Amino acid sequence: MFEKRFVFFTLSLSITLLLLSLGWWWLVFGNVVENGYITTAQAATCLAAETDLCRLAQALCSNEHFFEIRWYAPETLWASAALLLVALAQASFRPNTP
């Protein structure tokens, strides 16, 4: 019973963190994309890595952000992916007992 709860908790946590990461990314890069400074495809690379283009795009952010958020950390996406892998590993290795 504990194993099922742990898998459910880890899966829920990973999905929540993934959604928060995507929302955080859009808060930072959505304005820059809408203003035409970079394309959505270029901003999508900033989800998983911090490149020079990502730093430049973050510098172009204005003060009109929700909660004045001006930077994004791609580590949140990687943390959610790692938690998802842990949940999937736990679900696949647990014994099939009722």
Side-chain angles (χ1 to χ4, degrees):
M1 187 69 165
F2 172 75
E3 292 86 10
K4 289 181 183 180
R5 287 186 201 161
F6 181 73
V7 170
F8 178 76
F9 174 75
T10 309
L11 186 60
S12 299
L13 186 63
S14 68
I15 291 171
T16 302
L17 187 59
L18 175 66
L19 292 175
L20 286 173
S21 178
L22 290 172
W24 183 10
W25 169 80
W26 185 248
L27 281 175
V28 173
F29 292 100
N31 236 1
V32 179
V33 169
E34 288 171 2
N35 289 331
Y37 297 128
I38 60 174
T39 65
T40 306
Q42 290 171 325
T45 61
C46 299
L47 267 170
E50 187 176 344
T51 63
D52 290 337
L53 180 64
C54 299
R55 285 194 229 42
L56 176 63
Q58 290 179 55
L60 292 173
C61 290
S62 64
N63 291 333
E64 301 171 0
H65 283 283
F66 190 63
F67 295 127
E68 296 186 17
I69 297 172
R70 296 187 189 130
W71 61 278
Y72 168 76
E75 292 84 5
T76 57
L77 182 75
W78 291 109
S80 66
L83 279 172
L84 182 62
L85 288 175
V86 167
L88 293 175
Q90 280 290 331
S92 66
F93 289 124
R94 68 180 178 88
N96 293 329
T97 56

